[in-house]
């Protein structure tokens, strides 16, 4: 079973690598990324401070969260040339602010510190929020731990917030962590909507639907029980895969007991309920390479890139728990237009560079800009890059 599963994961990696190709373009002041043919990467913004998660509002203002010092900056591309040249401190003094969502004029933001959610808006056009509310009170969801960032998404009726595993794998079950919580938009009727997730830092609705999707960042040291140590870990290097999950009410996604398509984690193989847990597990909609460290992603709603509408673009921060450095990339996930399910994925930008021990860039998040181009943030260079069609 394990050998067969390894083979499946390995074949997925081979398929992905075979699709990758160079031939794309890199603009001025952009490092030598490996850009897929048909795409071009240019510099969209720099000099604004740390770059983590992003959200765009309906006017094209780009918001970037900065957990340290606890700030959201607002950037604008007034002349629409793809370079964001104006900036303002939209929200300050919100410690560990991270994931954001835009809806109906408000920027909603969670923080690793307060376990609640604030919302803010700029009513006079100076880029600074002058209307700030505590949308969900502090302590609404568990805080801190090793993976403290909380994804957020809203529908007309509900708000959903993700809570990660505070460690590599915590065995408590049922658990108040490792979940998606749902609240009514008035903050009432809190419920545990889905469970068994390790670290889903961003949530998004698939365009035209109320389907909630999340990219789950898998655990480390899978082969530890068999004596693997870093530098020689044929099991851990390939398992567990990073998961793209469609989040549905009541679903259990396996963590920490199973990963990928119901691969049992060795630490839990002897649990008397392991078969029951496997049966209960909803497998991921798509699996990426192990340790790629999936963080942010966006669906594409516009027609700018041919054939891309409805696809998903994901940012992978890159590995530490892998003998060979992997991840460090922007990946396109192709969605079937009829079924609304993923059927393939391909790298469009590789950011590792020529020295794997010193990657050029570590992508964190990506968003679709107003013109349909893709922006991705990097917290190594603290810059925003823009992916457009090549000339
Ligand atoms: Ca500009
Ligand atoms: Ca203002
Ligand atoms: Ca899973």
């Amino acid at each position: 079973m394990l050998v067969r599963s390894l083979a499946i994961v390995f074949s997925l990696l081979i398929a992905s690598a075979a699709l990758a190709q160079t031939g794309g373009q890199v603009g001025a002041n952009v490092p030598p990324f490996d850009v897929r043919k048909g795409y071009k990467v240019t510099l969209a913004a720099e000099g604004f401070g740390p770059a983590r998660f992003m959200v765009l509002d309906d006017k094209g203002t780009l918001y970037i969260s900065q957990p340290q010092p606890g700030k959201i900056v607002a950037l604008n591309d007034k002349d629409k040339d793809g370079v964001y040249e104006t900036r303002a401190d939209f929200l300050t003094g919100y410690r560990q602010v991270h994931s954001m969502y835009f809806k109906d004029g408000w920027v909603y933001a969670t923080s690793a510190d307060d376990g609640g959610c604030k919302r803010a808006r700029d009513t006079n056009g100076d880029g600074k929020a002058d209307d700030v509310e505590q949308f969900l009170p502090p302590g609404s969801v568990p805080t801190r731990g090793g993976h403290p960032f909380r994804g957020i998404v809203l529908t007309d009726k509900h708000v959903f917030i993700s809570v990660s595993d505070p460690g590599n794998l915590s065995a408590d079950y049922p658990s108040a962590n490792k979940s998606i919580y749902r609240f009514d938009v008035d903050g009432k009727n809190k419920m545990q909507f889905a469970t068994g997730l390790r670290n889903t830092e961003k949530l998004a609705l698939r365009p035209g639907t109320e389907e909630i999707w999340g990219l789950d960042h898998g655990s480390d040291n899978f082969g530890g029980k068999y004596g693997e140590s870093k530098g020689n870990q044929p099991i851990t290097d390939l398992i567990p895969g990073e998961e793209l999950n469609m989040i549905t009410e009541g679903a259990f996604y396996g963590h920490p007991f199973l990963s990928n398509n119901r691969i049992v984690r060795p630490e839990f193989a002897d649990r008397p309920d392991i078969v029951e847990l496997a049966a209960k597990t909803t497998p991921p909609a798509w699996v990426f390479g192990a340790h790629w460290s999936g963080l942010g992603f966006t669906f594409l709603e516009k027609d700018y890139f041919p054939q891309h509408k409805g696809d998903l673009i994901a940012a992978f921060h890159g590995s530490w728990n892998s003998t060979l450095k992997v991840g460090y990339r922007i990946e396109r996930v192709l969605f079937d237009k009829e079924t609304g399910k993923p059927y393939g994925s391909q790298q469009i930008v590789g950011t590792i560079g020529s020295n794997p021990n010193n990657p050029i860039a570590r992508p964190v998040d990506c968003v679709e800009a107003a013109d349909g181009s893709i922006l991705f943030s990097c917290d190594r260079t603290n810059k925003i890059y823009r992916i457009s069609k090549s000339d």
Side-chain angles (χ1 to χ4, degrees):
M1 172 70 180
L2 188 60
V3 171
R4 184 159 166 264
S5 305
L6 277 168
I8 291 168
V9 172
F10 195 59
S11 65
L12 275 173
L13 290 173
I14 296 285
S16 182
L19 283 170
Q21 54 184 262
T22 52
Q25 296 174 299
V26 172
N29 302 315
V30 173
F33 294 148
D34 176 12
V35 182
R36 187 179 177 85
K37 189 177 178 184
Y39 301 90
K40 178 180 181 179
V41 178
T42 52
L43 186 60
E46 62 180 339
F48 52 82
R52 283 294 286 184
F53 274 58
M54 300 184 289
V55 75
L56 280 151
D57 69 14
D58 53 358
K59 297 185 179 68
T61 301
L62 175 67
Y63 301 87
I64 304 166
S65 66
Q66 303 181 332
Q68 299 289 349
K71 188 159 88 170
I72 296 173
V73 293
L75 274 59
N76 263 292
D77 173 14
K78 295 269 187 202
D79 56 2
K80 312 229 179 292
D81 67 349
V83 177
Y84 289 72
E85 69 281 347
T86 72
R87 72 184 65 108
D89 285 348
F90 176 70
L91 183 68
T92 57
Y94 196 20
R95 279 169 49 93
Q96 295 289 338
V97 63
H98 198 247
S99 301
M100 299 172 290
Y101 194 76
F102 176 80
K103 185 169 170 53
D104 300 335
W106 294 91
V107 174
Y108 294 79
T110 61
S111 116
D113 246 19
D114 87 349
C117 173
K118 287 187 179 185
R119 68 175 186 176
R121 60 183 174 181
D122 166 28
T123 63
N124 61 3
D126 66 356
K128 298 176 184 171
D130 40 64
D131 194 2
V132 181
E133 295 179 354
Q134 191 76 41
F135 178 63
L136 293 178
S140 292
V141 297
T143 56
R144 304 189 182 231
H147 306 102
F149 298 120
R150 309 299 185 229
I152 178 169
V153 74
L154 280 97
T155 64
D156 288 340
K157 290 183 182 166
H158 297 116
V159 52
F160 300 81
I161 295 186
S162 62
V163 176
S164 302
D165 189 324
N168 182 39
L169 55 152
S170 308
D172 55 317
Y173 175 81
S175 170
N177 294 301
K178 303 174 275 190
S179 300
I180 308 285
Y181 282 93
R182 188 183 81 184
F183 302 79
D184 293 350
V185 283
D186 60 4
K188 294 179 178 157
N189 292 321
K190 176 183 179 181
M191 68 165 291
Q192 216 167 1
F193 184 75
T195 58
L197 293 159
R198 180 173 181 271
N199 185 27
T200 296
E201 295 192 8
K202 186 172 185 177
L203 300 168
L205 298 176
R206 192 166 73 82
T209 76
E210 290 210 341
E211 294 171 10
I212 300 166
W213 290 72
L215 187 54
D216 204 37
H217 184 167
S219 55
D220 302 311
N221 306 320
F222 201 100
K225 188 146 188 233
Y226 302 114
E228 277 188 353
S229 59
K230 189 140 170 55
N232 177 24
Q233 46 183 37
I235 299 170
T236 292
D237 278 352
L238 297 178
I239 298 180
E242 305 287 81
E243 299 183 354
L244 179 62
N245 292 303
M246 190 173 87
I247 313 289
T248 56
E249 183 171 353
F252 171 71
Y253 292 89
H255 178 78
F257 312 109
L258 306 98
S259 69
N260 296 55
N261 290 333
R262 299 179 176 144
I263 296 176
V264 175
R265 185 141 184 147
E267 291 87 342
F268 306 111
D270 295 333
R271 276 182 72 111
D273 61 349
I274 194 66
V275 173
E276 188 186 321
L277 288 166
K280 196 179 163 188
T281 295
T282 298
W286 193 252
V287 180
F288 306 94
H291 316 297
W292 286 13
S293 304
L295 294 178
F297 67 96
T298 188
F299 284 100
L300 298 183
E301 300 187 53
K302 303 182 192 302
D303 293 316
Y304 173 79
F305 286 107
Q307 315 297 325
H308 288 50
K309 190 173 181 175
D311 290 349
L312 180 151
I313 306 292
F316 291 92
H317 202 225
S319 64
W320 70 270
N321 186 222
S322 176
T323 310
L324 295 172
K325 300 278 187 181
V326 290
Y328 307 96
R329 56 164 60 196
I330 302 297
E331 186 92 349
R332 172 189 175 195
V333 183
L334 296 95
F335 271 65
D336 188 293
K337 308 294 184 264
E338 297 300 320
T339 65
K341 298 286 192 297
Y343 68 93
S345 83
Q346 59 188 197
Q347 175 179 298
I348 57 175
V349 182
T351 68
I352 194 165
S354 57
N355 179 1
N357 292 317
N358 188 22
I360 302 172
R362 305 196 74 186
V364 175
D365 192 15
C366 44
V367 291
E368 183 181 41
D371 64 1
S373 61
I374 299 158
L375 304 175
F376 75 90
S377 59
C378 164
D379 65 359
R380 176 150 207 168
T381 61
N382 288 322
K383 295 178 182 181
I384 308 293
Y385 301 99
R386 175 175 183 262
I387 305 173
S388 57
K389 286 183 283 201
S390 60
D391 301 332

